[in-house]
Amino acid sequence: MNQAGDLLLVKSGGPAVFHEWVDGFAEASSGLEVREWDDPSVRDDNVTYVLVGQPVGDRISRFPKLKAIFSGGAGVDHLTREPTLPPHLPIIRMATHENAQTMGEYVCLAALGLLRDWRRLALAQERRTWDPFLGTRTARTTRVGVLGLGHIGLHALEMLRGLGFQVHGWSRSRKTIMDTTTYAGEGELQPFLAASDIAVGLLPHTPATSGLICQRTIDWMPHGAGLVNAGRGSLVNIPDLVAALDCGRLGGAVLDVFESEPLPADHPAWTHPRITVTSHVAGFATRRTRAAYVVEGMAALERGDSPPHLYLPDRGY
Ligand code: NAP
């Protein structure tokens, strides 16, 4: 695609990997000028697009010809929490097939890990303890509830189904998915969680999703249920989760995202025997694939079309 005359400024991954962005964009587009965020030769009034994967302060407000912002990831909270962000600019979320695939792989790994109590087995190895623990159920007798049926949630649900799990889902607006019970809105969260032996959080951070998994809602889940959270950390009230794990109300948790990242050294999740911690690594996509996605989004905007996965401020995601 020809994007002659446009200048894209990139803040994602840092200068050491910038050449990968240059290669990816060269493959996907002709004429698009791609420059690194801290390149001192870039004049603010030449910048027409930005690709931003981390907080950048107020700099975005200083580009008078900016047409749109591409988020380096699926979430946009690193952008929208900046008060100087110009409200009229379209923000496009990163939603490539690779993001959905890698997130689905992580969710499958986490669900199987909870099913076979992988955390217990890992701790046994650390202690050099022979622990002939066998699970009590299979994927076919385990109900997995996916919170969030968007780009990632729908793909993860199908991958879980492929492993044999009984799957169902919950979202804000009602979805129709073949052979699948779906639940919608806060009013149906209770029956959804009550039917989830494992609940998987794939929700964005919004006021409505913050603290949704807390003592009140954990009490709706089956005794000994598991929790996976790979959406945003604000979903889970950590003290309530730890209390539920400590008393056996919940059986285990796999957490990839946290309210404060990197996770502080004194956070209780690091050492909890029923919690597996990963460092916000559940989903990723190659720079080549993300560059092609950005170029397609630019082309849609230039045609006057609305690109898919546009952030809608009224909805909050
Ligand atoms: P998406 O396509 O926007 O889907 C979001 C889903 O959440 C939609 O189904 C939406 O419902 C639902 N939802 C939002 N607010 C809700 C509410 N209050 N109650 C019930 N459902 C609600 O987003 P996505 O691309 O699937 O990504 C989901 C999140 O995953 C991202 O926001 C990001 O934070 C996270 N993520 C994490 C990683 C990682 O490495 N850990 C990587 C990528 C993404 P509707 O369908 O009704 O709109």
Side-chain angles (χ1 to χ4, degrees):
M1 268 171 237
N2 193 322
Q3 257 102 22
D6 279 312
L7 190 156
L8 170 76
L9 207 55
V10 177
K11 173 95 174 169
S12 180
V17 296
F18 181 62
H19 64 97
E20 292 181 29
W21 284 119
V22 173
D23 293 348
F25 280 107
E27 217 173 282
S29 155
S30 66
L32 176 68
E33 200 179 338
V34 183
R35 306 284 277 277
E36 212 276 324
W37 191 259
D38 294 319
D39 184 335
S41 67
V42 172
R43 285 184 33 191
D44 285 354
D45 59 356
N46 284 341
V47 176
T48 53
Y49 290 102
V50 292
L51 168 60
V52 176
Q54 55 227 77
V56 286
D58 66 356
R59 190 163 174 213
I60 289 177
S61 64
R62 289 189 255 134
F63 302 130
K65 295 192 185 139
L66 195 62
K67 299 192 243 184
I69 301 168
F70 287 87
S71 174
V76 295
D77 20 327
H78 60 294
L79 292 161
T80 55
R81 75 167 81 109
E82 171 55 42
T84 64
L85 195 77
H88 62 281
L89 282 174
I91 302 179
I92 296 102
R93 303 182 314 100
M94 189 58 66
T96 72
H97 63 278
E98 283 183 1
N99 290 97
Q101 175 67 21
T102 50
M103 286 290 280
E105 289 166 0
Y106 179 94
V107 165
C108 289
L109 183 67
L112 288 173
L114 289 168
L115 186 64
R116 303 299 294 265
D117 207 344
W118 205 250
R119 176 78 175 134
R120 171 177 170 157
L121 301 178
L123 286 173
Q125 180 177 355
E126 250 175 50
R127 291 192 300 263
R128 299 176 185 228
T129 304
W130 192 253
D131 180 5
F133 164 75
L134 301 173
T136 54
R137 56 189 347 159
T138 71
R140 290 200 188 283
T141 58
T142 302
R143 301 163 299 168
V144 180
V146 178
L147 296 126
L149 297 173
H151 176 66
I152 292 167
L154 285 174
H155 194 73
L157 183 140
E158 293 306 335
M159 288 177 74
L160 288 161
R161 196 200 308 274
L163 287 173
F165 285 106
Q166 298 174 31
V167 289
H168 57 280
W170 181 74
S171 53
R172 201 174 53 96
S173 58
R174 189 166 303 284
K175 301 278 178 295
T176 304
I177 308 172
M178 218 199 323
D179 298 328
T180 309
T181 304
T182 55
Y183 301 79
E186 249 191 279
E188 295 182 13
L189 184 59
Q190 182 165 11
F192 165 83
L193 285 176
S196 301
D197 300 313
I198 297 174
V200 177
L202 293 172
L203 291 165
H205 164 73
T206 71
T209 61
S210 287
L212 203 64
I213 300 297
C214 59
Q215 191 202 322
R216 183 177 67 98
T217 52
I218 287 171
D219 280 346
W220 295 339
M221 296 175 71
H223 191 87
L227 176 72
V228 179
N229 189 23
R232 279 295 179 266
S234 53
L235 177 73
V236 182
N237 179 311
I238 293 289
D240 288 0
L241 172 67
V242 168
L245 291 166
D246 285 344
C247 71
R249 182 70 188 72
L250 287 185
V254 179
L255 306 177
D256 184 55
V257 285
F258 300 88
E259 282 214 87
S260 175
E261 295 178 1
L263 192 61
D266 60 354
H267 195 282
W270 278 123
T271 50
H272 198 284
R274 315 292 317 155
I275 301 180
T276 297
V277 170
T278 54
S279 310
H280 201 144
V281 293
F284 58 86
T286 59
R287 293 192 173 84
R288 185 174 181 227
T289 296
R290 285 188 283 165
Y293 175 87
V294 168
V295 167
E296 272 175 35
M298 284 179 187
L301 287 164
E302 299 291 342
R303 286 195 305 269
D305 295 344
S306 174
H309 310 294
L310 201 58
Y311 164 71
L312 301 178
D314 295 347
R315 231 175 41 167
Y317 61 97

